[in-house]
Amino acid sequence: MDSRRCKCQWCGMKIAAPIGAQTITCPRCQSVTQLQPARNNGFANFPTANNNMSPGFPAFPSRPGRMSPNANNFQPQQFNRPMSPQINNIRPPAVHGRKRAVLCGINYRGHPKSLKGSINDVLSMRYFLVEKLGFPNASVVVLTEDEKDPYKYPTKANIRSALRWLVQGCQPGDSLVFHYSGHGTRVRDHDGDEIDGHDESLCPVDFETEGRILDDEINNTIVRPLPRGATLHGIIDTCFSGTFLDLPFLCRINRAGYFKWEDHRIRGYKGTSGGTAFSISACDDHQSSGDTTAFTGVPMGALTYSFIQTLEQETKLTYGRLIMSMQNKIQQAQKGLGLNGANETQEPQLSSSEPFDIHSKLVAI
């Protein structure tokens, strides 16, 4: 059968459509794309792929579906997405708020390396921030494949726009949160600012056509503009995430609680404009993260679950106690029912814009 090339307007996947077809369903994200009449040459134009991208999806470890600890309360919402040919900029909420957050969860539906629980991780985090920590619901931006608003579909452009919104107009006393659950990769560092020679990266839903978002860009967007008196917490549930925000100092802590800070400032400034930034990530830069059934009997992200549970259950926490408690929970999962997708020990990491005594404080989120 004769066909012409077109592109899913939601996730960017290239699709072969039969000549004369008016619509086509994307095999990856299951969205319906309205087709324009065929051009004379019978082919649609596609964006040029990022030259730094290798063909196809990177070799991620298998991470079976995650479930929220409040899964019964957070069923992904099904809908028919409104048809819109452009998804370029996020629509900021009417309430900006002194507390605000960007939560991004991507399942990569229909892809051979799809995930099943990243969206549920994000919904659990939204519930925790709003119901437990007092974040205004209108000041929490959620980007997932289940959002009705096409501007909140987790494309590269929309994620970039959401990160810019997060720090826009930031003032002393503001508390910001960026939570990401999805695939992460490592790429070769080309500007010489990484100790291990690799940049870490976030994979938007359209990364195969639009490219990844490198840690250099994430740092430039939400870390560097942070003003004095403002605080940013990154909670990063993905593989290779130890220095995901590219913060200048990485904490090494052992099981006994002894710690030291590694200075990752090779060249260039990776700090803030006076504010304080922290990143709590799923594992070291060379490690993979995983899902486990050990906590609740259903698969879920080890980092997201252990982070929320530790903050809910323990009092008088410090960053040292938080990291050690999360490490213990994940270690128990590895020894017990098993941690799927992690080929070695998964150790949550703490990095910061400045070194401090990790056993003396925990800045309120």
Side-chain angles (χ1 to χ4, degrees), residues 239-324:
C239 301
F240 318 118
S241 54
T243 59
F244 200 82
L245 296 191
D246 224 6
L247 297 176
F249 298 97
L250 177 67
C251 184
R252 298 297 186 186
I253 179 172
N254 64 18
R255 298 294 178 182
Y258 294 103
F259 71 94
K260 65 177 180 178
W261 289 96
E262 289 181 357
D263 190 340
H264 281 233
R265 296 173 298 178
I266 296 181
R267 69 175 187 81
Y269 181 64
K270 297 184 178 181
T272 70
S273 295
T276 306
F278 306 93
S279 178
I280 299 165
S281 55
C283 57
D284 208 341
D285 282 342
H286 66 279
Q287 295 176 336
S288 58
S289 61
D291 298 323
T292 182
T293 59
F295 295 122
T296 64
V298 293
M300 59 188 313
L303 183 279
T304 299
Y305 179 82
S306 63
F307 174 80
I308 293 174
Q309 289 297 302
T310 300
L311 287 179
E312 284 188 333
Q313 295 174 355
E314 300 193 25
T315 59
K316 298 181 180 179
L317 274 176
T318 64
Y319 284 103
R321 178 59 188 161
L322 172 64
I323 296 298
M324 293 178 67

Coordinates of all heavy atoms in Angstrom, one line a residue, residues 239-324:
C239 N 18.0 7.4 36.3 CA 19.4 6.8 36.2 C 20.4 7.9 36.0 O 20.1 9.0 35.5 CB 19.5 5.8 35.1 SG 18.4 4.4 35.3
F240 N 21.6 7.6 36.4 CA 22.8 8.5 36.2 C 22.5 10.0 36.7 O 22.7 10.9 36.0 CB 23.1 8.6 34.7 CG 23.1 7.2 34.0 CD1 22.2 6.9 33.0 CD2 23.9 6.2 34.5 CE1 22.2 5.7 32.4 CE2 23.9 4.9 33.9 CZ 23.0 4.7 32.8
S241 N 22.0 10.1 37.9 CA 21.4 11.4 38.3 C 22.2 12.1 39.5 O 21.7 13.1 40.0 CB 20.0 11.2 38.8 OG 19.9 10.2 39.8
G242 N 23.4 11.6 39.8 CA 24.1 12.1 41.0 C 24.3 13.6 40.9 O 24.2 14.4 41.9
T243 N 24.7 14.1 39.7 CA 24.9 15.6 39.5 C 24.0 16.1 38.5 O 24.3 17.0 37.6 CB 26.4 15.8 39.1 OG1 26.7 15.1 37.8 CG2 27.4 15.3 40.1
F244 N 22.7 15.7 38.5 CA 21.7 16.1 37.5 C 21.5 17.6 37.4 O 21.2 18.1 36.3 CB 20.4 15.4 37.9 CG 19.5 15.3 36.7 CD1 19.6 14.2 35.8 CD2 18.4 16.1 36.6 CE1 18.7 14.1 34.8 CE2 17.5 16.0 35.5 CZ 17.7 15.0 34.6
L245 N 21.6 18.3 38.5 CA 21.4 19.8 38.5 C 22.8 20.5 38.3 O 22.8 21.7 38.3 CB 20.8 20.3 39.8 CG 19.3 19.9 40.0 CD1 18.7 20.7 41.2 CD2 18.5 20.0 38.8
D246 N 23.8 19.7 38.2 CA 25.2 20.3 37.9 C 25.6 21.2 39.0 O 26.3 22.3 38.8 CB 25.2 21.0 36.6 CG 26.4 20.7 35.8 OD1 27.2 19.8 36.2 OD2 26.7 21.3 34.7
L247 N 25.2 20.9 40.3 CA 25.6 21.8 41.4 C 27.1 21.6 41.7 O 27.7 20.6 41.4 CB 24.8 21.4 42.6 CG 23.3 21.7 42.5 CD1 22.5 21.2 43.7 CD2 23.0 23.2 42.2
P248 N 27.7 22.6 42.3 CA 29.2 22.6 42.4 C 29.7 21.6 43.5 O 30.9 21.3 43.4 CB 29.6 24.0 42.8 CG 28.3 24.7 43.2 CD 27.2 23.9 42.6
F249 N 28.9 21.2 44.5 CA 29.4 20.3 45.5 C 28.6 19.1 45.6 O 27.3 19.1 45.7 CB 29.4 21.1 46.9 CG 30.3 22.3 46.8 CD1 29.8 23.6 46.6 CD2 31.7 22.2 47.0 CE1 30.6 24.7 46.6 CE2 32.5 23.3 47.0 CZ 32.0 24.5 46.8
L250 N 29.2 17.9 45.7 CA 28.6 16.6 45.8 C 29.0 16.0 47.2 O 30.2 15.9 47.4 CB 29.0 15.7 44.7 CG 28.4 14.3 44.7 CD1 26.9 14.3 44.6 CD2 29.0 13.4 43.6
C251 N 28.0 15.6 48.0 CA 28.4 15.0 49.3 C 28.6 13.5 49.2 O 27.8 12.8 48.6 CB 27.2 15.3 50.2 SG 27.5 14.7 51.9
R252 N 29.7 13.0 49.8 CA 29.9 11.6 49.9 C 29.7 11.2 51.4 O 30.4 11.8 52.3 CB 31.3 11.2 49.5 CG 31.6 11.5 48.0 CD 30.8 10.7 47.1 NE 31.2 10.9 45.7 CZ 30.5 10.3 44.7 NH1 29.4 9.6 44.9 NH2 30.9 10.6 43.4
I253 N 28.8 10.3 51.6 CA 28.5 9.9 53.0 C 28.5 8.4 53.1 O 28.0 7.7 52.2 CB 27.1 10.5 53.4 CG1 26.7 10.1 54.9 CG2 26.0 10.1 52.5 CD1 25.5 10.8 55.4
N254 N 29.1 7.8 54.2 CA 29.1 6.4 54.4 C 28.0 6.0 55.3 O 27.3 6.8 55.9 CB 30.5 5.9 54.8 CG 30.9 6.5 56.2 OD1 30.0 6.9 57.0 ND2 32.1 6.4 56.5
R255 N 27.9 4.7 55.6 CA 26.9 4.1 56.4 C 26.9 4.6 57.8 O 25.9 4.6 58.5 CB 26.9 2.6 56.3 CG 26.7 2.0 54.9 CD 25.3 2.3 54.4 NE 25.1 1.8 53.1 CZ 24.0 1.9 52.4 NH1 22.9 2.5 52.9 NH2 23.9 1.4 51.1
A256 N 28.1 5.0 58.3 CA 28.3 5.4 59.6 C 27.9 6.9 59.8 O 27.9 7.4 60.9 CB 29.7 5.2 60.1
G257 N 27.7 7.6 58.7 CA 27.3 9.0 58.7 C 28.5 10.0 58.5 O 28.2 11.2 58.5
Y258 N 29.7 9.4 58.3 CA 30.8 10.3 58.0 C 30.7 10.8 56.6 O 30.3 10.1 55.7 CB 32.1 9.6 58.2 CG 32.4 9.2 59.6 CD1 32.2 7.9 60.1 CD2 32.8 10.2 60.6 CE1 32.4 7.6 61.4 CE2 33.0 9.8 61.9 CZ 32.8 8.5 62.3 OH 33.1 8.2 63.6
F259 N 31.0 12.1 56.4 CA 30.7 12.7 55.1 C 31.9 13.6 54.7 O 32.6 14.1 55.5 CB 29.4 13.4 55.0 CG 29.4 14.7 55.8 CD1 29.7 16.0 55.2 CD2 29.1 14.7 57.1 CE1 29.7 17.1 55.9 CE2 29.1 15.9 57.9 CZ 29.4 17.1 57.2
K260 N 32.0 13.9 53.4 CA 32.9 14.9 52.9 C 32.3 15.4 51.6 O 31.5 14.7 50.9 CB 34.3 14.3 52.6 CG 34.3 13.2 51.5 CD 35.7 12.8 51.2 CE 35.8 11.7 50.1 NZ 37.2 11.3 49.8
W261 N 32.7 16.6 51.3 CA 32.1 17.3 50.1 C 33.2 17.2 49.0 O 34.3 17.6 49.2 CB 31.8 18.7 50.3 CG 30.6 18.9 51.2 CD1 30.5 19.1 52.6 CD2 29.2 18.9 50.8 NE1 29.2 19.2 53.0 CE2 28.4 19.1 51.9 CE3 28.6 18.8 49.5 CZ2 27.0 19.1 51.8 CZ3 27.2 18.8 49.4 CH2 26.4 19.0 50.6
E262 N 32.8 16.8 47.8 CA 33.6 16.9 46.6 C 33.3 18.2 45.8 O 32.2 18.5 45.6 CB 33.3 15.7 45.6 CG 33.8 14.4 46.2 CD 33.5 13.2 45.2 OE1 32.9 13.5 44.1 OE2 33.9 12.1 45.5
D263 N 34.4 18.9 45.5 CA 34.3 20.1 44.8 C 34.3 19.8 43.3 O 35.3 19.3 42.8 CB 35.4 21.1 45.1 CG 35.3 22.5 44.6 OD1 34.5 22.6 43.6 OD2 35.9 23.4 45.1
H264 N 33.2 20.0 42.6 CA 33.1 19.7 41.2 C 33.3 21.0 40.3 O 32.9 20.9 39.1 CB 31.7 19.1 40.9 CG 31.7 17.6 41.3 ND1 31.3 16.6 40.4 CD2 32.0 17.0 42.4 CE1 31.3 15.5 41.0 NE2 31.7 15.6 42.2
R265 N 33.8 22.0 40.8 CA 34.1 23.2 40.0 C 35.4 23.1 39.3 O 36.5 23.3 39.8 CB 34.1 24.4 40.9 CG 32.8 24.7 41.7 CD 33.0 25.8 42.7 NE 34.0 25.5 43.7 CZ 34.3 26.3 44.7 NH1 33.8 27.5 44.8 NH2 35.2 25.9 45.6
I266 N 35.3 22.6 38.0 CA 36.5 22.6 37.2 C 36.7 23.9 36.5 O 37.8 24.5 36.6 CB 36.3 21.5 36.1 CG1 36.2 20.1 36.8 CG2 37.4 21.5 35.1 CD1 36.0 18.9 35.8
R267 N 35.7 24.4 35.8 CA 35.8 25.7 35.2 C 34.4 26.2 35.0 O 33.4 25.5 34.9 CB 36.5 25.7 33.8 CG 35.8 25.0 32.7 CD 36.5 25.1 31.4 NE 35.7 24.6 30.3 CZ 34.7 25.3 29.7 NH1 34.4 26.5 30.1 NH2 34.1 24.8 28.7
G268 N 34.2 27.5 35.1 CA 32.9 28.1 35.0 C 32.2 28.0 36.3 O 32.5 27.3 37.2
Y269 N 31.2 28.8 36.5 CA 30.4 28.9 37.7 C 29.1 28.2 37.6 O 28.3 28.4 36.7 CB 30.1 30.4 38.1 CG 29.4 30.6 39.4 CD1 30.0 30.2 40.6 CD2 28.1 31.1 39.4 CE1 29.3 30.4 41.8 CE2 27.4 31.3 40.6 CZ 28.0 30.9 41.8 OH 27.4 31.1 43.0
K270 N 28.9 27.2 38.6 CA 27.7 26.4 38.6 C 26.8 26.7 39.7 O 25.8 26.0 39.9 CB 28.1 24.9 38.6 CG 28.9 24.4 37.4 CD 29.1 22.9 37.5 CE 29.8 22.4 36.3 NZ 30.1 20.9 36.4
G271 N 27.1 27.8 40.5 CA 26.3 28.1 41.7 C 25.1 29.0 41.4 O 24.7 29.2 40.2
T272 N 24.6 29.6 42.4 CA 23.4 30.4 42.3 C 23.8 31.9 42.3 O 24.9 32.3 42.4 CB 22.5 30.2 43.5 OG1 23.1 30.7 44.7 CG2 22.2 28.7 43.6
S273 N 22.7 32.8 42.3 CA 22.9 34.2 42.4 C 22.7 34.6 43.9 O 22.2 35.7 44.1 CB 22.0 35.0 41.5 OG 22.3 34.7 40.1
G274 N 23.1 33.8 44.8 CA 23.0 34.1 46.2 C 22.0 33.1 46.9 O 22.1 33.0 48.2
G275 N 21.2 32.4 46.2 CA 20.2 31.5 46.9 C 20.9 30.2 47.2 O 22.1 30.0 46.9
T276 N 20.1 29.2 47.6 CA 20.6 27.9 48.0 C 19.9 26.8 47.2 O 18.7 26.8 47.2 CB 20.5 27.7 49.5 OG1 21.1 28.7 50.2 CG2 21.2 26.4 49.9
A277 N 20.7 25.9 46.6 CA 20.1 24.9 45.8 C 20.5 23.5 46.4 O 21.7 23.4 46.7 CB 20.4 25.0 44.4
F278 N 19.6 22.6 46.4 CA 19.9 21.2 46.9 C 19.4 20.2 45.8 O 18.3 20.5 45.2 CB 19.3 20.9 48.2 CG 19.6 21.8 49.3 CD1 18.8 22.9 49.6 CD2 20.7 21.7 50.1 CE1 19.0 23.8 50.6 CE2 21.0 22.5 51.1 CZ 20.2 23.6 51.4
S279 N 20.0 19.1 45.6 CA 19.5 18.1 44.7 C 19.6 16.8 45.5 O 20.6 16.4 46.0 CB 20.3 18.0 43.4 OG 19.8 16.9 42.6
I280 N 18.5 16.1 45.5 CA 18.4 14.7 46.1 C 18.1 13.8 44.9 O 17.0 13.9 44.4 CB 17.3 14.7 47.2 CG1 17.7 15.6 48.3 CG2 17.2 13.2 47.7 CD1 16.6 15.9 49.3
S281 N 19.0 12.9 44.6 CA 18.9 12.1 43.4 C 18.9 10.6 43.7 O 19.3 10.2 44.7 CB 19.9 12.5 42.4 OG 21.2 12.4 42.9
A282 N 18.4 9.9 42.7 CA 18.2 8.4 42.9 C 19.5 7.6 43.1 O 19.5 6.6 43.8 CB 17.4 7.9 41.8
C283 N 20.6 8.1 42.4 CA 21.8 7.3 42.4 C 22.9 8.1 42.0 O 22.8 9.3 41.6 CB 21.6 6.1 41.5 SG 21.1 6.5 39.8
D284 N 24.1 7.5 42.0 CA 25.3 8.2 41.5 C 25.3 8.3 40.0 O 24.5 7.6 39.3 CB 26.5 7.4 42.0 CG 27.8 8.3 42.2 OD1 27.8 9.4 41.6 OD2 28.7 7.9 42.9
D285 N 26.2 9.1 39.4 CA 26.2 9.3 38.0 C 26.5 8.1 37.2 O 26.1 8.0 36.0 CB 27.3 10.4 37.6 CG 26.8 11.8 37.9 OD1 25.6 12.0 38.1 OD2 27.6 12.7 38.0
H286 N 27.1 7.1 37.8 CA 27.4 5.8 37.0 C 26.5 4.7 37.3 O 26.6 3.6 36.8 CB 28.9 5.4 37.3 CG 29.1 4.9 38.8 ND1 29.3 5.8 39.8 CD2 29.0 3.7 39.4 CE1 29.4 5.2 40.9 NE2 29.2 3.9 40.7
Q287 N 25.5 5.0 38.2 CA 24.5 3.9 38.6 C 23.2 4.1 37.9 O 22.9 5.1 37.3 CB 24.3 4.0 40.1 CG 25.6 3.7 41.0 CD 25.3 3.9 42.5 OE1 24.4 4.7 42.9 NE2 26.1 3.2 43.3
S288 N 22.4 3.0 38.0 CA 21.1 3.0 37.5 C 20.1 2.9 38.6 O 20.4 2.4 39.7 CB 20.8 1.8 36.5 OG 21.1 0.6 37.1
S289 N 18.9 3.5 38.5 CA 17.9 3.5 39.5 C 16.9 2.4 39.1 O 16.9 1.9 38.0 CB 17.2 4.9 39.6 OG 16.6 5.2 38.4
G290 N 16.0 2.1 40.1 CA 15.1 1.0 39.8 C 13.8 1.1 40.5 O 13.6 2.0 41.3
D291 N 12.9 0.2 40.2 CA 11.6 0.1 40.9 C 11.6 -1.1 41.8 O 12.4 -2.0 41.6 CB 10.5 -0.1 39.8 CG 10.4 1.1 38.9 OD1 10.6 2.2 39.3 OD2 10.1 0.8 37.7
T292 N 10.7 -1.1 42.8 CA 10.7 -2.3 43.7 C 9.2 -2.5 44.1 O 8.4 -1.6 44.2 CB 11.5 -2.0 44.9 OG1 11.5 -3.1 45.8 CG2 11.1 -0.8 45.7
T293 N 9.0 -3.8 44.5 CA 7.7 -4.1 45.1 C 7.8 -4.3 46.6 O 6.9 -4.7 47.2 CB 7.2 -5.4 44.4 OG1 8.1 -6.5 44.6 CG2 6.9 -5.3 42.9
A294 N 9.0 -4.1 47.1 CA 9.3 -4.4 48.5 C 8.5 -3.5 49.5 O 8.3 -3.9 50.6 CB 10.8 -4.3 48.7
F295 N 8.2 -2.3 49.1 CA 7.6 -1.3 50.0 C 6.1 -1.6 50.2 O 5.7 -1.6 51.4 CB 7.8 0.1 49.5 CG 9.2 0.6 49.4 CD1 9.8 1.0 48.2 CD2 10.0 0.5 50.6 CE1 11.1 1.4 48.2 CE2 11.3 1.0 50.5 CZ 11.9 1.4 49.3
T296 N 5.4 -1.8 49.2 CA 3.9 -1.9 49.3 C 3.4 -3.1 48.6 O 2.1 -3.3 48.6 CB 3.3 -0.6 48.6 OG1 3.6 -0.6 47.3 CG2 3.7 0.6 49.3
G297 N 4.2 -3.9 47.9 CA 3.7 -5.1 47.2 C 3.4 -4.8 45.7 O 3.1 -5.7 45.0
V298 N 3.5 -3.5 45.3 CA 3.4 -3.2 43.9 C 4.6 -2.4 43.5 O 5.2 -1.7 44.3 CB 2.1 -2.3 43.7 CG1 0.8 -3.1 43.9 CG2 2.1 -1.1 44.6
P299 N 5.0 -2.4 42.2 CA 6.2 -1.7 41.8 C 6.0 -0.2 41.9 O 5.0 0.4 41.7 CB 6.3 -2.1 40.3 CG 5.4 -3.3 40.1 CD 4.3 -3.2 41.1
M300 N 7.1 0.5 42.3 CA 7.1 1.9 42.5 C 8.6 2.4 42.5 O 9.5 1.7 42.7 CB 6.4 2.4 43.7 CG 6.9 1.8 45.0 SD 5.8 2.2 46.3 CE 5.5 4.0 46.0
G301 N 8.8 3.7 42.2 CA 10.1 4.3 42.2 C 10.7 4.3 43.6 O 10.1 4.9 44.5
A302 N 11.9 3.8 43.8 CA 12.5 3.7 45.1 C 12.8 5.0 45.6 O 12.6 5.3 46.8 CB 13.8 2.8 45.0
L303 N 13.3 6.0 44.8 CA 13.7 7.3 45.3 C 12.5 8.1 45.7 O 12.5 8.6 46.8 CB 14.5 8.0 44.2 CG 15.1 9.4 44.5 CD1 14.1 10.5 44.4 CD2 15.8 9.5 45.8
T304 N 11.5 8.2 44.9 CA 10.3 9.0 45.2 C 9.6 8.5 46.4 O 9.3 9.2 47.4 CB 9.3 9.0 44.0 OG1 10.0 9.6 42.9 CG2 8.1 9.8 44.3
Y305 N 9.4 7.2 46.5 CA 8.7 6.6 47.7 C 9.5 6.8 48.9 O 9.0 7.2 50.0 CB 8.5 5.1 47.4 CG 7.8 4.5 48.6 CD1 6.4 4.6 48.7 CD2 8.5 3.8 49.6 CE1 5.7 4.0 49.8 CE2 7.8 3.2 50.7 CZ 6.5 3.3 50.8 OH 5.8 2.8 51.9
S306 N 10.8 6.5 48.9 CA 11.6 6.6 50.2 C 11.7 8.0 50.6 O 11.8 8.3 51.8 CB 13.0 6.0 50.0 OG 13.7 6.7 49.0
F307 N 11.8 9.0 49.7 CA 11.8 10.4 50.0 C 10.6 10.8 50.7 O 10.6 11.4 51.8 CB 12.1 11.2 48.8 CG 12.0 12.7 49.0 CD1 13.1 13.4 49.5 CD2 10.9 13.4 48.7 CE1 13.1 14.8 49.7 CE2 10.8 14.8 48.9 CZ 11.9 15.5 49.4
I308 N 9.4 10.5 50.2 CA 8.2 11.0 50.8 C 7.9 10.3 52.1 O 7.6 10.9 53.1 CB 7.0 10.6 49.8 CG1 7.1 11.5 48.6 CG2 5.6 10.8 50.5 CD1 6.0 11.2 47.5
Q309 N 8.2 9.0 52.2 CA 8.0 8.2 53.4 C 8.9 8.7 54.5 O 8.5 8.8 55.7 CB 8.2 6.7 53.2 CG 7.1 6.1 52.3 CD 5.8 6.2 53.0 OE1 5.6 5.7 54.1 NE2 4.8 6.8 52.4
T310 N 10.1 9.0 54.2 CA 11.0 9.5 55.3 C 10.6 10.9 55.8 O 10.6 11.1 57.0 CB 12.5 9.6 54.7 OG1 12.9 8.4 54.3 CG2 13.4 10.1 55.8
L311 N 10.2 11.8 55.0 CA 9.7 13.1 55.4 C 8.4 13.0 56.2 O 8.2 13.7 57.2 CB 9.5 14.0 54.2 CG 10.8 14.6 53.6 CD1 10.5 15.5 52.4 CD2 11.7 15.3 54.6
E312 N 7.6 12.0 55.9 CA 6.3 11.9 56.6 C 6.5 11.2 57.9 O 5.7 11.5 58.9 CB 5.3 11.1 55.7 CG 4.7 11.8 54.6 CD 3.6 11.1 53.9 OE1 3.6 9.8 53.9 OE2 2.7 11.7 53.3
Q313 N 7.4 10.3 58.0 CA 7.5 9.4 59.2 C 8.5 9.9 60.2 O 8.3 9.6 61.4 CB 7.8 8.0 58.8 CG 6.7 7.3 57.9 CD 7.1 6.0 57.4 OE1 8.3 5.5 57.6 NE2 6.2 5.3 56.7
E314 N 9.5 10.6 59.9 CA 10.5 10.9 60.8 C 10.5 12.4 61.2 O 10.2 13.3 60.4 CB 11.9 10.5 60.2 CG 12.0 9.0 59.9 CD 13.5 8.6 59.6 OE1 14.4 9.3 60.1 OE2 13.7 7.6 58.9
T315 N 10.9 12.7 62.4 CA 10.9 14.1 62.9 C 12.4 14.4 63.1 O 13.3 13.6 63.2 CB 10.1 14.2 64.2 OG1 10.7 13.3 65.2 CG2 8.7 13.9 64.0
K316 N 12.6 15.7 63.3 CA 13.9 16.3 63.5 C 15.0 15.8 62.5 O 16.1 15.4 62.8 CB 14.4 16.0 64.9 CG 13.5 16.5 66.0 CD 14.1 16.2 67.4 CE 13.2 16.8 68.5 NZ 13.7 16.5 69.9
L317 N 14.5 15.8 61.3 CA 15.4 15.4 60.2 C 16.5 16.4 59.9 O 16.3 17.6 60.0 CB 14.6 15.1 58.9 CG 13.9 13.7 58.7 CD1 13.1 13.7 57.5 CD2 15.0 12.6 58.7
T318 N 17.6 15.9 59.5 CA 18.7 16.6 58.8 C 18.9 16.0 57.4 O 18.4 15.0 57.1 CB 20.0 16.6 59.6 OG1 20.5 15.2 59.6 CG2 19.8 17.1 61.0
Y319 N 19.7 16.7 56.6 CA 19.9 16.2 55.3 C 20.7 14.8 55.4 O 20.5 13.9 54.6 CB 20.7 17.2 54.4 CG 19.9 18.3 53.9 CD1 19.9 19.5 54.4 CD2 19.0 18.1 52.8 CE1 19.1 20.6 54.0 CE2 18.2 19.1 52.3 CZ 18.3 20.3 52.9 OH 17.5 21.4 52.4
G320 N 21.6 14.8 56.4 CA 22.3 13.5 56.6 C 21.4 12.4 57.0 O 21.5 11.3 56.4
R321 N 20.5 12.7 57.9 CA 19.5 11.6 58.3 C 18.6 11.3 57.2 O 18.3 10.1 57.0 CB 18.7 12.1 59.5 CG 17.7 11.1 60.0 CD 18.3 9.8 60.4 NE 17.2 8.8 60.7 CZ 17.5 7.5 60.8 NH1 18.7 7.1 60.5 NH2 16.5 6.7 61.0
L322 N 18.2 12.2 56.4 CA 17.3 12.0 55.2 C 18.0 11.0 54.2 O 17.4 10.0 53.8 CB 16.9 13.3 54.5 CG 16.2 13.2 53.2 CD1 14.8 12.5 53.4 CD2 16.0 14.5 52.6
I323 N 19.2 11.3 53.9 CA 19.9 10.5 52.9 C 20.2 9.1 53.4 O 20.0 8.1 52.8 CB 21.2 11.1 52.4 CG1 20.9 12.5 51.7 CG2 22.0 10.2 51.5 CD1 20.1 12.3 50.5
M324 N 20.6 9.0 54.7 CA 20.9 7.7 55.3 C 19.6 6.9 55.4 O 19.7 5.6 55.2 CB 21.6 7.9 56.7 CG 22.9 8.5 56.6 SD 23.7 8.8 58.2 CE 23.9 7.1 58.8

